[in-house]
Structure formats: C-alpha cells, structure tokens
Amino acid sequence: MPGGPIGAKPIGTIAASGKIKIAANHSFETRGTQWCITKTPPSGGGADEPVGCRGTVGNANIGDGRVPGIHTSSDAAGNKVVVSVFRGDARRVLYTDGSRFYEAKLYRLAGVPGWMMSVVAYDAPKGDALAPGDAYVFAYNAEGKVMAQFPLVKDGGPRTNPLR
C-alpha cells in the first residue's frame, strides 16, 4: 500500500487551455471549462483523437462535482489509464482495481477554479475481482480522511478505505 504523509506528493497545475501527457499516447487538456482526454495514433502520425470530452460547468452528469467519476482507457503500452475530474482540494487519490492500490498524480485545473484531475497508468493484474474496466477511486483531504469516493457505498462502492 502507498505510504507517506498526506500532502507529501506534489500537486501540479494544468494551465487554462493547457495540455499535458498523461500516459503513452494519451494527453489531458482543458478547453475553457471543458476537459478532454485525447489519444495520438500509435504510429505517431495523424491528429489527436478525443477519447472523452466533458464540461465541468453546467454538466448534469457530473452533478455537484464532488464525486470523482472514472474514465478508463488503454495506452499504447497496454496499461490501463484511469482519470478522474472533480471539485475539491484532495491531497492524495488512490485507485483500487481488484486487490491492488495505485496512487494517482494530482493536478489543479487553472482554467476551472476549484477543480482537480487525478490520473494513474498501470499494468492491470490478471484474475482480479474486478472486470477490466472497473476501478474504484478514493480522494483524501489534508487530514487523511476520505473526502470523496466513487462509486459511493450506497451505489455498490467499497466500504473499505485503502489507507486504513
């Protein structure tokens, strides 16, 4: 399990209308209050293709934004790429996929004040309890308490906090 004090990991910033590489052939970018995950063809040629674009403001699917959703994809190296976008001031985000836990990189979205993005890419273990597309996410505040999770316990999410 990941260790170390909450907040010890650096939190990056994605500039307004910025773009960063998040995994092999995957980028995350902001376009005003919209965010997109884009994929570059493995050959390196051709234009980036949107994997998923969502608005943060006025998007009924996000609700109030405090519950981090999950977007999964596979990168050019065959790793699972898991991204969440949510409101709040998380200091650590963990994803669980079966019996393993993965610590995410965190970024503030400069163009969308109060919103964050977390991302992790990992070689998904074979034979775990969850289906290949499934993952759970836990966001922690500076005190180390779960401030958000997806899915919620009432919606079938895990009752177990990975840091406890």
Side-chain angles (χ1 to χ4, degrees):
M1 249 189 270
I6 298 294
K9 308 290 187 269
I11 298 174
T13 299
I14 300 173
S17 298
K19 182 177 181 177
I20 63 166
K21 182 177 178 166
I22 58 173
N25 81 318
H26 276 62
S27 296
F28 181 94
E29 61 184 287
T30 58
R31 303 170 181 171
T33 59
Q34 186 181 56
W35 56 270
C36 295
I37 300 168
T38 55
K39 199 174 197 177
T40 303
S43 64
D48 287 352
E49 301 170 15
V51 174
C53 290
R54 305 281 186 273
T56 53
V57 177
N59 184 343
N61 289 333
I62 293 180
D64 71 8
R66 289 177 286 182
V67 176
I70 294 179
H71 178 89
T72 61
S73 185
S74 295
D75 70 10
N79 294 313
K80 181 185 282 189
V81 179
V82 188
V83 177
S84 295
V85 177
F86 56 95
R87 283 190 330 168
D89 189 23
R91 298 303 173 95
R92 173 178 268 172
V93 172
L94 296 179
Y95 292 94
T96 176
D97 187 352
S99 60
R100 294 181 167 180
F101 300 99
Y102 307 93
E103 188 152 11
K105 293 179 184 175
L106 293 173
Y107 297 90
R108 287 184 174 72
L109 305 181
V112 193
W115 288 76
M116 299 187 81
M117 183 272 284
S118 58
V119 60
V120 67
Y122 59 90
D123 181 18
K126 308 294 184 252
D128 264 344
L130 298 178
D134 290 342
Y136 299 132
V137 60
F138 292 86
Y140 298 87
N141 64 17
E143 290 77 43
K145 296 190 188 298
V146 174
M147 59 178 265
Q149 82 173 64
F150 180 83
L152 298 171
V153 173
K154 71 178 185 72
D155 297 326
R159 296 181 186 280
T160 307
N161 172 352
L163 287 182
R164 300 290 174 242

